[in-house]
Amino acid sequence: DVKVTQSSRYLVKRTGEKVFLECVQDMDHENMFWYRQDPGLGLRLIYFSYDVKMKEKGDIPEGYSVSREKKERFSLILESASTNQTSMYLCASSFYVTNTGELFFGEGSRLTVL
Amino acid sequence: QQQVKQSPQSLIVQKGGISIINCAYENTAFDYFPWYQQFPGKGPALLIAIRPDVSEKKEGRFTISFNKSAKQFSLHIMDSQPGDSATYFCAAPYTLTFGKGTMLLVSP
């Protein structure tokens, strides 16, 4: 059974803190993605990676960075968390980079920034 | 720029009724049309997808239909059940973008 695991389901951080969200997939997929989900705005792509050490900006990369040192692991970093980054963060992986095949999502990490 | 426009934003259907969610697109190069289903507290999961060589695909109570001239694809849930209550997203291929979602509530 395919699996995308996000290490933290719920986090509460303070403004200005550095935040790491970790994601691991066990499907040997080349491509991994970070989305944020907000009510009324749907899923918005933050960053994606099509290979180890490679990254591409999505639609809303400001305030975020990513790291992919190993194929199975993709981290989202908030260098200095702000209240407007309170959201649900979803990691996904896929065999296809162009969304012409299935994206497999983790269960999400709900981040609250106070 | 929104690659796919989904409607309605929310939908309430009686148990046993038909739920219909629509997704309009502009890019005629799109050749893969998926729908994702998300239950509360879970990530989205692929529900059903269609390629435009067929106009309709059915999987159990879920049907996806494709209208090339209208540039629209739709999800139909027949005999809707309370367990179908979830948020549904269409997605645009090649762009990694999703519609804004439809919250479906099936009342008992």
Side-chain angles (χ1 to χ4, degrees):
Chain A
D1 201 17
V2 298
K3 201 157 187 183
V4 176
T5 303
Q6 295 184 231
S7 56
S8 303
R9 293 296 308 275
Y10 300 95
L11 302 96
V12 179
K13 298 292 181 181
R14 297 211 173 269
T15 301
E17 280 193 83
K18 191 168 185 176
V19 181
F20 292 89
L21 299 180
E22 304 283 339
C23 176
V24 177
Q25 52 99 358
D26 66 358
M27 294 165 281
D28 202 33
H29 284 157
E30 301 287 342
N31 310 291
M32 297 188 73
F33 312 84
W34 275 106
Y35 287 86
R36 68 177 278 178
Q37 181 175 13
D38 300 287
L41 297 178
L43 300 166
R44 292 181 292 166
L45 182 65
I46 304 170
Y47 268 96
F48 67 100
S49 168
Y50 54 88
D51 201 354
V52 175
K53 297 194 185 294
M54 305 303 289
K55 60 185 179 184
E56 292 286 343
K57 292 179 180 179
D59 298 316
I60 52 164
E62 297 78 19
Y64 304 94
S65 62
V66 290
S67 172
R68 190 152 181 218
E69 296 295 321
K70 293 186 177 182
K71 188 176 185 180
E72 68 272 16
R73 190 178 297 269
F74 192 34
S75 302
L76 181 68
I77 303 157
L78 288 67
E79 293 289 342
S80 177
S82 63
T83 54
N84 63 13
Q85 293 179 309
T86 291
S87 186
M88 170 69 86
Y89 290 89
L90 290 161
C91 175
S93 73
S94 175
F95 180 75
Y96 301 94
V97 72
T98 56
N99 193 23
T100 51
E102 185 170 1
L103 288 178
F104 295 88
F105 284 88
E107 294 198 321
S109 298
R110 182 166 293 283
L111 171 66
T112 301
V113 183
L114 302 176
Chain B
Q1 183 187 352
Q2 230 180 320
Q3 299 289 338
V4 285
K5 290 187 178 176
Q6 187 174 340
S7 62
Q9 245 184 326
S10 62
L11 183 61
I12 300 175
V13 173
Q14 294 251 329
K15 180 181 174 181
I18 302 173
S19 304
I20 302 174
I21 305 170
N22 299 304
C23 194
Y25 65 95
E26 286 296 323
N27 191 334
T28 55
F30 286 172
D31 58 0
Y32 174 75
F33 300 95
W35 284 98
Y36 284 77
Q37 179 188 53
Q38 183 183 29
F39 292 109
K42 301 289 186 182
L46 181 67
L47 177 65
I48 189 171
I50 196 170
R51 297 193 185 273
D53 51 346
V54 295
S55 60
E56 188 174 283
K57 181 176 180 180
K58 189 174 182 179
E59 290 185 0
R61 295 182 294 106
F62 299 90
T63 299
I64 186 171
S65 60
F66 173 68
N67 186 330
K68 187 174 181 179
S69 60
K71 292 194 283 187
Q72 178 170 283
F73 60 109
S74 303
L75 176 68
H76 295 235
I77 307 174
M78 312 301 286
D79 186 26
S80 299
Q81 298 296 313
D84 298 329
S85 297
T87 301
Y88 293 83
F89 295 95
C90 60
Y94 307 108
T95 66
L96 297 167
T97 59
F98 288 78
K100 292 189 176 181
T102 297
M103 287 186 62
L104 170 66
L105 177 64
V106 181
S107 58

